Amino acid sequence: MKKGRPTTSDRLTELCKDESFGGNSDDDGEKPKDSNEVKDMIADLDAKWKQLDDMMNQCTRNMVRNFAPVFRRLANPKDGPPDPAKMNGRLAPASWPPPKLAVECSKLNRGELGGKITASEYLDSDEVLDKKMDLIAKLIRKSKHTCAYCGAGLSRGAGISDYATKAEGSVASSSTKDLGHPTEALPTAGHHILTALQKAGFIHSFVQQNHDGLPQKAGFPQRLINEIHGGWYDPSNTVVPMSGQLRKDLADWMVDVEEKTELTLCLGTSLSGMTSDRLATTPAMRSEEKDENGKPCSSCIGTVIINLQQTSEDDEACVRVWSRIDDAMILLANKLGLEYNANPVAWPKDTDVFQVPYNSAGQRDLSTKTTVDLSYGSRVIVSHPKAANLGSTTWGAWSLAETNWATG
Protein backbone atom coordinates (compact mmCIF):
# COMPACT_ATOMS: atom_id res chain seq x y z
CA MET A 1 0.00 0.00 0.00
CA LYS A 2 1.43 3.35 -1.01
CA LYS A 3 2.14 5.65 1.90
CA GLY A 4 1.16 9.28 1.82
CA ARG A 5 3.35 12.27 2.63
CA PRO A 6 4.70 12.06 6.24
CA THR A 7 3.08 14.57 8.58
CA THR A 8 4.89 16.93 10.92
CA SER A 9 3.96 14.57 13.73
CA ASP A 10 5.58 11.60 11.96
CA ARG A 11 8.83 13.45 11.42
CA LEU A 12 9.10 14.75 14.97
CA THR A 13 8.17 11.35 16.41
CA GLU A 14 11.15 9.86 14.59
CA LEU A 15 13.35 12.56 16.09
CA CYS A 16 12.05 11.74 19.57
CA LYS A 17 13.35 8.18 19.19
CA ASP A 18 16.88 9.57 19.01
CA GLU A 19 18.31 9.42 22.57
CA SER A 20 20.07 12.74 22.08
CA PHE A 21 16.84 14.60 21.24
CA GLY A 22 15.52 16.74 24.08
CA GLY A 23 18.91 17.90 25.43
CA ASN A 24 22.50 16.68 25.87
CA SER A 25 23.13 13.82 28.34
CA ASP A 26 25.37 14.55 31.33
CA ASP A 27 28.55 12.59 31.90
CA ASP A 28 26.84 10.45 34.58
CA GLY A 29 24.37 9.08 31.99
CA GLU A 30 21.30 11.18 32.91
CA LYS A 31 18.30 10.32 30.68
CA PRO A 32 16.93 12.86 28.19
CA LYS A 33 14.42 15.40 29.44
CA ASP A 34 10.72 14.57 29.72
CA SER A 35 9.20 14.57 26.22
CA ASN A 36 5.76 15.97 27.21
CA GLU A 37 6.83 19.40 26.06
CA VAL A 38 7.92 17.94 22.74
CA LYS A 39 4.58 16.13 22.37
CA ASP A 40 2.74 19.39 23.00
CA MET A 41 4.86 21.05 20.37
CA ILE A 42 4.10 18.23 17.92
CA ALA A 43 0.35 18.59 18.53
CA ASP A 44 0.55 22.36 18.10
CA LEU A 45 2.53 22.08 14.88
CA ASP A 46 0.16 19.44 13.53
CA ALA A 47 -2.83 21.70 14.22
CA LYS A 48 -1.15 24.66 12.52
CA TRP A 49 -0.10 22.50 9.58
CA LYS A 50 -3.68 21.28 9.12
CA GLN A 51 -5.00 24.84 9.36
CA LEU A 52 -2.51 26.00 6.71
CA ASP A 53 -3.34 23.01 4.51
CA ASP A 54 -7.09 23.75 4.80
CA MET A 55 -6.50 27.41 3.97
CA MET A 56 -4.47 26.52 0.87
CA ASN A 57 -7.10 24.06 -0.29
CA GLN A 58 -9.84 26.67 0.21
CA CYS A 59 -7.81 29.26 -1.69
CA THR A 60 -7.38 26.80 -4.56
CA ARG A 61 -11.11 26.04 -4.62
CA ASN A 62 -11.95 29.74 -4.59
CA MET A 63 -9.56 30.44 -7.47
CA VAL A 64 -11.08 27.63 -9.51
CA ARG A 65 -14.62 28.85 -8.80
CA ASN A 66 -13.74 32.46 -9.61
CA PHE A 67 -11.85 31.82 -12.85
CA ALA A 68 -13.71 28.79 -14.21
CA PRO A 69 -16.65 30.87 -15.54
CA VAL A 70 -14.16 33.15 -17.33
CA PHE A 71 -12.33 30.21 -18.88
CA ARG A 72 -15.65 28.65 -19.91
CA ARG A 73 -16.67 31.86 -21.69
CA LEU A 74 -13.32 32.00 -23.50
CA ALA A 75 -13.56 28.36 -24.54
CA ASN A 76 -17.26 28.51 -25.41
CA PRO A 77 -18.27 32.11 -26.20
CA LYS A 78 -21.90 31.15 -26.99
CA ASP A 79 -21.84 33.03 -30.28
CA GLY A 80 -24.12 30.52 -32.01
CA PRO A 81 -27.44 28.80 -31.40
CA PRO A 82 -27.76 26.74 -28.21
CA ASP A 83 -27.06 23.01 -28.17
CA PRO A 84 -30.50 21.30 -28.06
CA ALA A 85 -29.04 18.44 -26.00
CA LYS A 86 -28.09 20.84 -23.18
CA MET A 87 -31.06 23.20 -23.14
CA ASN A 88 -33.04 21.59 -20.32
CA GLY A 89 -30.40 21.27 -17.61
CA ARG A 90 -28.25 18.50 -16.15
CA LEU A 91 -31.07 16.95 -14.10
CA ALA A 92 -33.64 16.93 -16.89
CA PRO A 93 -34.44 13.61 -18.59
CA ALA A 94 -33.02 13.28 -22.10
CA SER A 95 -36.55 12.55 -23.34
CA TRP A 96 -37.71 16.13 -22.75
CA PRO A 97 -37.76 18.05 -26.05
CA PRO A 98 -35.77 21.31 -26.26
CA PRO A 99 -37.56 24.68 -26.30
CA LYS A 100 -38.72 26.27 -29.54
CA LEU A 101 -37.31 29.47 -30.98
CA ALA A 102 -40.02 32.07 -30.28
CA VAL A 103 -38.41 35.24 -31.63
CA GLU A 104 -35.16 35.42 -33.58
CA CYS A 105 -32.91 38.43 -33.10
CA SER A 106 -29.38 38.98 -34.43
CA LYS A 107 -28.62 41.78 -31.98
CA LEU A 108 -26.41 40.94 -28.99
CA ASN A 109 -28.27 41.04 -25.68
CA ARG A 110 -25.32 42.51 -23.74
CA GLY A 111 -22.90 43.46 -26.50
CA GLU A 112 -21.86 46.57 -24.56
CA LEU A 113 -20.29 44.24 -21.98
CA GLY A 114 -18.44 42.18 -24.56
CA GLY A 115 -21.08 39.45 -24.71
CA LYS A 116 -21.55 37.31 -27.82
CA ILE A 117 -25.05 36.00 -27.10
CA THR A 118 -27.92 37.16 -29.30
CA ALA A 119 -31.21 38.47 -27.96
CA SER A 120 -33.22 35.62 -29.53
CA GLU A 121 -35.96 34.23 -27.27
CA TYR A 122 -37.04 30.65 -26.64
CA LEU A 123 -40.08 29.04 -25.00
CA ASP A 124 -40.64 25.62 -23.45
CA SER A 125 -43.81 23.79 -24.40
CA ASP A 126 -46.56 23.88 -21.77
CA GLU A 127 -46.01 20.20 -21.02
CA VAL A 128 -42.24 20.50 -20.51
CA LEU A 129 -42.60 23.71 -18.50
CA ASP A 130 -45.01 21.96 -16.15
CA LYS A 131 -42.58 19.06 -15.67
CA LYS A 132 -39.66 21.41 -15.06
CA MET A 133 -41.52 23.35 -12.38
CA ASP A 134 -42.50 20.07 -10.73
CA LEU A 135 -38.80 19.12 -10.60
CA ILE A 136 -37.81 22.55 -9.28
CA ALA A 137 -40.45 22.30 -6.53
CA LYS A 138 -38.84 19.03 -5.40
CA LEU A 139 -35.38 20.64 -5.38
CA ILE A 140 -36.67 23.59 -3.34
CA ARG A 141 -38.17 21.23 -0.76
CA LYS A 142 -34.82 19.43 -0.54
CA SER A 143 -32.61 22.51 -0.23
CA LYS A 144 -31.56 23.73 3.22
CA HIS A 145 -30.53 27.15 1.91
CA THR A 146 -32.05 28.58 -1.26
CA CYS A 147 -31.03 31.96 -2.66
CA ALA A 148 -32.99 34.05 -5.14
CA TYR A 149 -30.62 35.82 -7.52
CA CYS A 150 -32.62 38.21 -9.68
CA GLY A 151 -32.00 40.55 -12.59
CA ALA A 152 -33.92 43.04 -14.68
CA GLY A 153 -36.07 40.40 -16.36
CA LEU A 154 -37.97 39.93 -13.10
CA SER A 155 -39.22 43.53 -13.17
CA ARG A 156 -39.95 43.86 -16.88
CA GLY A 157 -43.54 42.83 -16.25
CA ALA A 158 -43.85 45.84 -13.93
CA GLY A 159 -43.07 48.20 -16.80
CA ILE A 160 -39.37 48.74 -16.02
CA SER A 161 -37.22 48.29 -19.12
CA ASP A 162 -34.13 46.09 -19.22
CA TYR A 163 -30.93 46.07 -21.27
CA ALA A 164 -31.09 42.57 -22.75
CA THR A 165 -34.52 42.55 -24.45
CA LYS A 166 -33.95 43.79 -28.01
CA ALA A 167 -36.03 41.56 -30.25
CA GLU A 168 -38.90 43.09 -32.18
CA GLY A 169 -42.07 41.30 -31.14
CA SER A 170 -40.49 40.12 -27.90
CA VAL A 171 -42.57 37.62 -25.94
CA ALA A 172 -41.19 38.96 -22.63
CA SER A 173 -43.76 40.17 -20.12
CA SER A 174 -44.32 43.90 -20.16
CA SER A 175 -46.76 46.06 -18.26
CA THR A 176 -49.15 48.13 -20.35
CA LYS A 177 -49.17 50.85 -17.67
CA ASP A 178 -47.36 54.03 -18.67
CA LEU A 179 -45.11 54.76 -15.72
CA GLY A 180 -44.49 58.42 -15.00
CA HIS A 181 -41.32 57.33 -13.21
CA PRO A 182 -39.87 53.84 -12.53
CA THR A 183 -40.44 54.37 -8.81
CA GLU A 184 -44.19 54.16 -9.53
CA ALA A 185 -43.88 50.53 -10.63
CA LEU A 186 -45.75 47.86 -8.69
CA PRO A 187 -44.63 44.27 -7.95
CA THR A 188 -45.34 41.49 -10.43
CA ALA A 189 -46.66 38.01 -9.69
CA GLY A 190 -43.02 36.89 -9.59
CA HIS A 191 -42.21 39.33 -6.77
CA HIS A 192 -45.26 38.27 -4.77
CA ILE A 193 -44.49 34.57 -5.19
CA LEU A 194 -40.89 35.09 -4.06
CA THR A 195 -42.34 36.67 -0.93
CA ALA A 196 -44.66 33.69 -0.45
CA LEU A 197 -41.69 31.33 -0.88
CA GLN A 198 -39.81 33.20 1.84
CA LYS A 199 -42.75 33.17 4.24
CA ALA A 200 -43.10 29.41 3.69
CA GLY A 201 -39.43 28.91 4.57
CA PHE A 202 -38.32 28.00 1.03
CA ILE A 203 -36.12 31.05 0.33
CA HIS A 204 -33.43 32.10 2.79
CA SER A 205 -31.51 34.85 0.93
CA PHE A 206 -32.20 37.33 -1.86
CA VAL A 207 -29.37 38.92 -3.85
CA GLN A 208 -30.95 41.66 -5.94
CA GLN A 209 -29.27 43.19 -8.99
CA ASN A 210 -32.18 45.56 -9.51
CA HIS A 211 -32.58 48.90 -7.77
CA ASP A 212 -36.37 49.14 -7.91
CA GLY A 213 -37.45 48.04 -4.43
CA LEU A 214 -40.23 45.87 -5.90
CA PRO A 215 -39.47 42.83 -3.68
CA GLN A 216 -39.89 45.07 -0.62
CA LYS A 217 -43.14 46.48 -2.03
CA ALA A 218 -44.34 42.88 -2.33
CA GLY A 219 -43.53 42.33 1.35
CA PHE A 220 -40.16 40.55 1.12
CA PRO A 221 -38.20 41.31 4.35
CA GLN A 222 -35.53 43.98 3.86
CA ARG A 223 -33.17 42.18 6.26
CA LEU A 224 -32.84 39.30 3.78
CA ILE A 225 -32.34 41.41 0.63
CA ASN A 226 -28.82 42.29 -0.47
CA GLU A 227 -29.18 45.11 -2.99
CA ILE A 228 -25.66 44.45 -4.22
CA HIS A 229 -25.77 47.06 -7.02
CA GLY A 230 -27.51 49.72 -4.95
CA GLY A 231 -31.11 50.78 -4.44
CA TRP A 232 -33.30 53.75 -5.24
CA TYR A 233 -34.72 53.89 -1.73
CA ASP A 234 -31.55 53.66 0.39
CA PRO A 235 -29.46 56.85 0.64
CA SER A 236 -26.55 54.84 2.05
CA ASN A 237 -26.55 52.41 -0.88
CA THR A 238 -26.91 54.38 -4.09
CA VAL A 239 -26.77 52.77 -7.52
CA VAL A 240 -23.28 51.52 -8.37
CA PRO A 241 -22.17 52.54 -11.89
CA MET A 242 -20.60 49.93 -14.16
CA SER A 243 -17.15 51.35 -13.42
CA GLY A 244 -17.82 51.57 -9.68
CA GLN A 245 -17.03 49.34 -6.72
CA LEU A 246 -19.41 47.25 -4.64
CA ARG A 247 -19.98 48.29 -1.03
CA LYS A 248 -17.61 46.13 1.02
CA ASP A 249 -20.09 44.99 3.67
CA LEU A 250 -22.59 43.98 0.99
CA ALA A 251 -19.87 42.16 -0.97
CA ASP A 252 -18.84 40.28 2.19
CA TRP A 253 -22.49 39.39 2.84
CA MET A 254 -22.82 38.16 -0.75
CA VAL A 255 -19.78 35.87 -0.38
CA ASP A 256 -21.18 34.48 2.88
CA VAL A 257 -24.46 33.66 1.13
CA GLU A 258 -22.54 32.14 -1.78
CA GLU A 259 -20.71 29.71 0.51
CA LYS A 260 -23.81 28.36 2.24
CA THR A 261 -26.27 28.32 -0.68
CA GLU A 262 -27.33 24.85 -1.83
CA LEU A 263 -29.75 25.99 -4.52
CA THR A 264 -29.92 29.25 -6.46
CA LEU A 265 -33.03 30.41 -8.30
CA CYS A 266 -31.57 32.61 -11.02
CA LEU A 267 -34.41 34.72 -12.43
CA GLY A 268 -34.28 37.18 -15.31
CA THR A 269 -30.56 37.89 -15.48
CA SER A 270 -28.34 37.53 -18.55
CA LEU A 271 -25.38 36.40 -16.38
CA SER A 272 -23.11 38.65 -18.40
CA GLY A 273 -20.09 38.55 -16.11
CA MET A 274 -21.01 40.64 -13.07
CA THR A 275 -19.17 39.88 -9.82
CA SER A 276 -22.50 38.92 -8.27
CA ASP A 277 -22.95 36.19 -10.90
CA ARG A 278 -20.96 34.00 -8.49
CA LEU A 279 -24.33 33.35 -6.82
CA ALA A 280 -25.18 31.36 -9.95
CA THR A 281 -21.79 29.92 -10.92
CA THR A 282 -20.54 28.73 -7.53
CA PRO A 283 -23.52 26.50 -6.56
CA ALA A 284 -23.48 25.07 -10.09
CA MET A 285 -19.81 24.16 -9.77
CA ARG A 286 -20.05 22.87 -6.22
CA SER A 287 -22.90 20.57 -7.17
CA GLU A 288 -20.55 18.80 -9.61
CA GLU A 289 -17.54 18.47 -7.28
CA LYS A 290 -16.70 14.86 -6.41
CA ASP A 291 -14.24 13.35 -3.93
CA GLU A 292 -11.66 10.69 -4.80
CA ASN A 293 -14.37 8.03 -4.47
CA GLY A 294 -16.69 9.78 -6.89
CA LYS A 295 -19.12 10.92 -4.20
CA PRO A 296 -20.47 14.51 -3.99
CA CYS A 297 -18.27 16.79 -1.88
CA SER A 298 -21.26 18.71 -0.53
CA SER A 299 -25.04 18.77 -0.32
CA CYS A 300 -25.13 21.52 -2.96
CA ILE A 301 -27.91 21.00 -5.53
CA GLY A 302 -26.94 23.61 -8.11
CA THR A 303 -28.49 26.48 -10.04
CA VAL A 304 -31.89 26.87 -11.70
CA ILE A 305 -31.98 29.43 -14.52
CA ILE A 306 -35.27 30.92 -15.73
CA ASN A 307 -34.88 33.20 -18.73
CA LEU A 308 -36.15 33.59 -22.28
CA GLN A 309 -32.67 34.20 -23.69
CA GLN A 310 -29.47 32.19 -23.64
CA THR A 311 -26.92 32.83 -20.87
CA SER A 312 -23.26 31.87 -20.59
CA GLU A 313 -24.08 29.42 -17.79
CA ASP A 314 -26.90 27.40 -19.38
CA ASP A 315 -24.80 24.24 -19.72
CA GLU A 316 -24.07 24.29 -15.97
CA ALA A 317 -27.68 24.69 -14.79
CA CYS A 318 -29.30 21.78 -12.99
CA VAL A 319 -32.64 22.84 -14.52
CA ARG A 320 -32.90 25.36 -17.37
CA VAL A 321 -36.33 26.93 -17.90
CA TRP A 322 -37.23 28.95 -21.00
CA SER A 323 -40.27 30.98 -19.98
CA ARG A 324 -41.63 34.31 -18.88
CA ILE A 325 -40.76 34.74 -15.19
CA ASP A 326 -44.35 35.26 -14.04
CA ASP A 327 -45.66 32.23 -15.93
CA ALA A 328 -43.01 29.95 -14.41
CA MET A 329 -43.44 31.35 -10.89
CA ILE A 330 -47.23 30.95 -10.93
CA LEU A 331 -46.76 27.29 -11.84
CA LEU A 332 -44.18 26.89 -9.08
CA ALA A 333 -46.53 28.41 -6.50
CA ASN A 334 -49.21 25.92 -7.50
CA LYS A 335 -46.76 23.00 -7.24
CA LEU A 336 -45.80 24.05 -3.72
CA GLY A 337 -49.36 24.84 -2.64
CA LEU A 338 -48.55 28.49 -1.94
CA GLU A 339 -51.06 31.28 -1.66
CA TYR A 340 -49.84 34.72 -2.65
CA ASN A 341 -51.28 38.20 -2.75
CA ALA A 342 -51.03 39.59 -6.27
CA ASN A 343 -52.65 42.89 -5.28
CA PRO A 344 -50.43 45.94 -4.91
CA VAL A 345 -49.47 46.92 -1.39
CA ALA A 346 -51.43 50.00 -0.32
CA TRP A 347 -48.89 52.79 0.01
CA PRO A 348 -49.92 56.07 1.66
CA LYS A 349 -49.62 59.19 -0.46
CA ASP A 350 -46.94 60.72 1.76
CA THR A 351 -44.47 57.84 1.37
CA ASP A 352 -41.70 60.26 0.42
CA VAL A 353 -41.45 61.37 4.06
CA PHE A 354 -40.49 58.88 6.78
CA GLN A 355 -39.96 58.83 10.54
CA VAL A 356 -36.95 56.61 11.32
CA PRO A 357 -35.40 55.59 14.70
CA TYR A 358 -32.06 57.36 14.16
CA ASN A 359 -30.51 60.34 15.92
CA SER A 360 -28.86 63.37 14.29
CA ALA A 361 -25.49 61.60 14.32
CA GLY A 362 -26.87 58.85 12.10
CA GLN A 363 -26.88 56.25 14.89
CA ARG A 364 -29.80 53.90 15.49
CA ASP A 365 -31.67 55.15 18.55
CA LEU A 366 -35.08 53.69 19.43
CA SER A 367 -35.76 56.55 21.84
CA THR A 368 -35.86 59.19 19.12
CA LYS A 369 -37.27 59.80 15.64
CA THR A 370 -35.74 61.66 12.71
CA THR A 371 -37.65 62.83 9.67
CA VAL A 372 -36.29 61.73 6.31
CA ASP A 373 -37.65 63.59 3.29
CA LEU A 374 -37.02 61.68 0.04
CA SER A 375 -39.36 63.70 -2.12
CA TYR A 376 -38.18 64.94 -5.50
CA GLY A 377 -35.53 67.64 -5.21
CA SER A 378 -34.94 67.12 -1.50
CA ARG A 379 -31.39 66.90 -0.17
CA VAL A 380 -30.24 64.49 2.51
CA ILE A 381 -27.05 63.95 4.48
CA VAL A 382 -25.51 60.48 4.62
CA SER A 383 -22.94 59.42 7.22
CA HIS A 384 -22.87 55.63 6.94
CA PRO A 385 -19.10 54.84 6.96
CA LYS A 386 -19.60 52.14 4.32
CA ALA A 387 -21.91 54.16 2.09
CA ALA A 388 -21.07 53.82 -1.60
CA ASN A 389 -22.10 57.41 -2.37
CA LEU A 390 -19.50 59.41 -0.42
CA GLY A 391 -18.78 62.59 -2.35
CA SER A 392 -21.22 61.78 -5.14
CA THR A 393 -24.77 62.54 -6.23
CA THR A 394 -27.30 59.76 -5.98
CA TRP A 395 -29.05 58.27 -8.98
CA GLY A 396 -32.39 58.13 -7.24
CA ALA A 397 -35.22 60.58 -6.86
CA TRP A 398 -33.16 62.93 -4.70
CA SER A 399 -29.61 64.29 -4.50
CA LEU A 400 -27.11 64.60 -1.69
CA ALA A 401 -26.01 67.85 -0.09
CA GLU A 402 -23.49 66.29 2.32
CA THR A 403 -22.41 62.82 3.39
CA ASN A 404 -22.84 62.78 7.15
CA TRP A 405 -26.12 61.00 7.76
CA ALA A 406 -27.33 57.41 7.59
CA THR A 407 -30.54 55.47 7.32
CA GLY A 408 -28.83 52.30 8.45
Side-chain angles (χ1 to χ4, degrees):
M1 181 176 178
K2 187 178 179 180
K3 293 184 178 180
R5 183 180 61 182
T7 65
T8 306
S9 177
D10 294 333
R11 293 194 291 270
L12 290 178
T13 299
E14 288 299 319
L15 287 174
C16 287
K17 293 178 181 179
D18 187 341
E19 292 182 358
S20 64
F21 187 77
N24 295 326
S25 298
D26 294 334
D27 292 338
D28 58 0
E30 182 183 20
K31 292 182 178 181
K33 295 179 181 179
D34 187 357
S35 62
N36 285 338
E37 184 177 349
V38 177
K39 291 179 179 178
D40 290 342
M41 181 178 68
I42 292 173
D44 183 57
L45 286 173
D46 258 348
K48 290 181 178 178
W49 179 268
K50 185 179 184 305
Q51 184 180 22
L52 178 61
D53 197 42
D54 290 343
M55 289 174 61
M56 293 298 292
N57 287 335
Q58 184 62 47
C59 287
T60 302
R61 286 193 293 269
N62 287 342
M63 288 179 64
V64 170
R65 291 171 184 169
N66 289 338
F67 287 104
V70 178
F71 294 146
R72 280 204 304 272
R73 291 189 185 101
L74 292 174
N76 184 17
K78 299 284 187 182
D79 53 358
D83 182 353
K86 298 182 178 180
M87 293 184 75
N88 290 326
R90 293 185 292 104
L91 299 183
S95 59
W96 290 359
K100 300 292 186 180
L101 177 64
V103 182
E104 188 172 10
C105 179
S106 60
K107 296 178 181 178
L108 301 179
N109 63 0
R110 296 308 302 267
E112 72 279 9
L113 298 179
K116 302 296 183 182
I117 300 175
T118 69
S120 296
E121 298 173 358
Y122 299 80
L123 283 172
D124 283 318
S125 67
D126 291 344
E127 181 182 1
V128 172
L129 178 60
D130 186 78
K131 290 179 178 179
K132 286 182 177 179
M133 301 319 296
D134 192 43
L135 175 56
I136 292 170
K138 293 176 181 177
L139 298 180
I140 288 176
R141 287 192 175 99
K142 181 180 178 182
S143 173
K144 295 179 181 177
H145 190 106
T146 298
C147 173
Y149 177 52
C150 302
L154 175 64
S155 297
R156 183 173 174 82
I160 299 177
S161 61
D162 63 335
Y163 292 104
T165 303
K166 294 174 181 175
E168 292 186 14
S170 169
V171 298
S173 301
S174 182
S175 173
T176 57
K177 180 180 179 181
D178 183 20
L179 298 177
H181 191 277
T183 56
E184 297 177 7
L186 297 174
T188 65
H191 292 104
H192 287 290
I193 292 169
L194 285 170
T195 299
L197 285 166
Q198 185 277 323
K199 289 181 178 178
F202 291 130
I203 285 185
H204 309 87
S205 302
F206 194 138
V207 178
Q208 162 85 314
Q209 292 190 74
N210 304 330
H211 323 296
D212 50 39
L214 291 181
Q216 293 94 320
K217 288 183 179 181
F220 203 100
Q222 176 67 58
R223 71 181 185 279
L224 298 179
I225 301 178
N226 184 340
E227 293 176 297
I228 190 65
H229 293 161
W232 293 338
Y233 302 97
D234 185 351
S236 70
N237 186 31
T238 52
V239 174
V240 181
M242 291 299 296
S243 59
Q245 292 185 338
L246 302 179
R247 212 175 85 178
K248 185 179 183 305
D249 59 326
L250 297 183
D252 291 343
W253 181 12
M254 176 184 67
V255 172
D256 179 63
V257 169
E258 170 195 0
E259 288 300 316
K260 60 188 178 185
T261 292
E262 293 186 355
L263 177 67
T264 292
L265 300 181
C266 190
L267 311 179
T269 171
S270 56
L271 296 174
S272 51
M274 302 292 183
T275 300
S276 55
D277 287 352
R278 61 197 302 139
L279 270 302
T281 58
T282 296
M285 292 182 62
R286 286 172 57 205
S287 68
E288 297 185 77
E289 292 176 351
K290 301 291 192 298
D291 62 18
E292 57 186 9
N293 297 316
K295 296 181 179 180
C297 292
S298 70
S299 58
C300 195
I301 298 169
T303 298
V304 169
I305 299 177
I306 304 179
N307 204 327
L308 289 167
Q309 300 178 1
Q310 287 178 265
T311 80
S312 60
E313 303 300 324
D314 290 346
D315 293 354
E316 311 304 319
C318 61
V319 184
R320 180 55 168 98
V321 178
W322 307 82
S323 168
R324 301 176 188 87
I325 304 296
D326 288 352
D327 293 348
M329 294 302 284
I330 290 171
L331 269 177
L332 180 61
N334 293 335
K335 300 290 184 183
L336 293 170
L338 298 178
E339 295 183 0
Y340 60 94
N341 177 18
N343 297 317
V345 176
W347 296 92
K349 293 183 178 180
D350 61 347
T351 52
D352 290 336
V353 180
F354 304 88
Q355 295 292 320
V356 296
Y358 285 82
N359 58 33
S360 59
Q363 299 171 331
R364 186 172 176 81
D365 185 352
L366 298 178
S367 65
T368 187
K369 294 286 185 182
T370 298
T371 300
V372 183
D373 184 356
L374 301 182
S375 56
Y376 292 110
S378 64
R379 302 174 73 82
V380 298
I381 302 173
V382 176
S383 67
H384 196 297
K386 297 178 181 177
N389 54 6
L390 295 179
S392 65
T393 301
T394 76
W395 292 19
W398 24 258
S399 59
L400 298 176
E402 301 176 51
T403 53
N404 296 319
W405 197 85
T407 63

